[in-house]
């Protein structure tokens, strides 16, 4: 077994152990006479088994080494923050320097603006859930690379499966286009309700973009009013 694979397997097993999983289901033997259906009934599905709780998924992410460069350069992974029962998730792009240092998404300048936006909607950060497409900081805050987004996608999907938000607000083009698997520009994705699995998705500008282009804050405020109307929240 290669060193890298060994580290990956040991890391995964250790994180499962920390989360209380002391036994693994035996894989089906080729040629076993049990049908795959009866096996499926007996053991949790692969996905459920991988990380049945957000805490376990967070541990799994913390030991991830799928992206060589990101795993080498990060201070820590940045999983997500807020209520695991939130109706609404805010989805950003990737951690920046402040987030990498503190281990929490949206805590730098853009994050402070996001907090203000959330509060302008009569909510608190603790009422929603905040997460990013990528759980690691890209060096120098470059844009996430396609293979990094692909490597991290299952974590995001499983995180959203566990939270089951009714609404997802995508912040900026990277989050919106990747979640919705489209190349439509962010300006054209605004103002409509899109779908991601069972959730309603709305898109707005990234708070870092709003810091550079304050005139666009009016548009984001329109987007938030649209979202609040969809959620049945009075402003
Ligand atoms: N920008 C993002 O997209 N996410 C963060 O967590 C911080 C800045
Ligand atoms: N372009 C982006 O990538 N994001 C924004 O939020 C706005 C323009």
């Amino acid at each position: 077994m290669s060193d890298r694979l060994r580290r990956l397997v040991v890391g995964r097993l250790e994180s499962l152990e920390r989360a209380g999983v002391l036994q693994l289901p035996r894989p089906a033997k080729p040629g076993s006479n049990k049908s795959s259906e009866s096996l499926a009934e007996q053991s949790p599905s692969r996905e459920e088994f991988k990380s049945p709780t957000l805490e376990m998924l967070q541990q799994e992410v913390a030991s991830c080494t799928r992206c060589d460069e990101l795993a080498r350069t990060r201070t820590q992974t940045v999983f997500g923050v807020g209520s695991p029962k939130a109706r609404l998730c805010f989805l950003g792009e990737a951690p920046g320097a402040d987030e990498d240092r503190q281990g929490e998404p949206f805590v730098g300048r853009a994050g402070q603006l996001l907090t203000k936006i959330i509060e302008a909607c009569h909510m608190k950060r603790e009422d929603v859930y905040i997460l990013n497409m990528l759980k690691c900081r890209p060096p120098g805050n470059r844009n996430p690379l396609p293979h990094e987004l692909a490597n991290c996608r299952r974590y995001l999907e499983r995180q959203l499966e566990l939270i089951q938000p009714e609404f997802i607000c995508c912040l900026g083009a990277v989050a919106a286009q990747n979640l919705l698997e489209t190349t439509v520009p962010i300006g054209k994705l605004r103002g409509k309700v899109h779908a991601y699995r069972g959730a309603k998705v709305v898109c707005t500008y990234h708070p870092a973009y709003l810091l550079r282009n304050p005139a666009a804050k009016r548009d984001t405020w329109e987007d938030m009013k649209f979202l609040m109307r969809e959620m049945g929240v009075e402003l």
Side-chain angles (χ1 to χ4, degrees):
M1 200 188 290
S2 74
D3 263 10
R4 185 178 136 76
L5 184 58
R6 187 191 309 276
R7 273 203 314 279
L8 215 81
V9 170
V10 170
R12 176 70 62 88
L13 288 173
E14 282 173 354
S15 87
L16 285 167
E17 188 178 34
R18 278 195 298 278
V21 174
L22 303 176
Q23 288 187 21
L24 296 176
R26 190 188 296 272
K29 280 205 196 87
S32 118
N33 56 9
K34 277 179 184 163
S35 75
S36 55
E37 202 174 41
S38 77
L39 271 178
E41 278 164 17
Q42 285 166 12
S43 53
S45 78
R46 276 184 82 84
E47 289 304 326
E48 267 173 318
F49 181 72
K50 269 187 181 158
S51 286
T53 68
L54 273 183
E55 290 76 14
M56 288 180 64
L57 182 59
Q58 181 162 10
Q59 290 291 334
E60 197 184 320
V61 166
S63 61
C64 181
T65 54
R66 285 186 193 190
C67 305
D68 249 357
E69 186 189 17
L70 301 189
R72 271 190 289 104
T73 55
R74 74 186 177 216
T75 304
Q76 57 192 318
T77 55
V78 178
F79 184 67
V81 71
S83 166
K85 295 185 178 150
R87 289 182 72 199
L88 169 61
C89 284
F90 284 93
L91 176 61
E93 179 175 323
D98 295 299
E99 291 76 21
D100 173 74
R101 209 176 307 117
Q102 296 184 45
E104 181 172 328
F106 283 101
V107 291
R109 272 188 77 221
Q112 286 162 24
L113 178 53
L114 176 61
T115 302
K116 279 201 214 165
I117 292 170
I118 292 168
E119 287 171 354
C121 297
H122 302 179
M123 295 182 293
K124 301 196 198 86
R125 272 174 78 98
E126 308 85 80
D127 300 329
V128 301
Y129 194 93
I130 305 172
L131 73 173
N132 286 306
M133 299 297 303
L134 283 198
K135 310 309 181 197
C136 294
R137 179 194 183 208
N141 295 347
R142 61 161 170 72
N143 277 353
L145 300 173
H147 79 269
E148 295 167 346
L149 290 161
N151 285 344
C152 223
R153 176 102 189 168
R154 283 306 293 140
Y155 295 137
L156 172 73
E157 287 175 354
R158 284 154 63 194
Q159 207 171 6
L160 292 173
E161 273 162 25
L162 289 163
I163 299 166
Q164 295 275 326
E166 281 173 70
F167 294 90
I168 299 169
C169 179
C170 293
L171 301 169
V174 170
Q177 294 179 342
N178 280 284
L179 186 77
L180 299 172
E181 300 183 281
T182 177
T183 55
V184 174
I186 180 75
K188 292 238 160 66
L189 293 170
R190 297 179 48 238
K192 292 187 195 106
V193 177
H194 308 267
Y196 170 80
R197 311 231 165 145
K200 294 180 174 163
V201 179
V202 301
C203 304
T204 192
Y205 296 121
H206 193 288
Y209 173 81
L210 299 179
L211 290 172
R212 296 191 304 271
N213 302 273
K217 286 182 183 175
R218 292 181 53 176
D219 292 334
T220 285
W221 183 233
E222 289 305 315
D223 297 335
M224 291 303 110
K225 286 194 288 188
F226 174 62
L227 172 59
M228 291 303 114
R229 267 200 307 279
E230 287 293 321
M231 291 181 70
V233 173
E234 292 221 13
L235 285 182

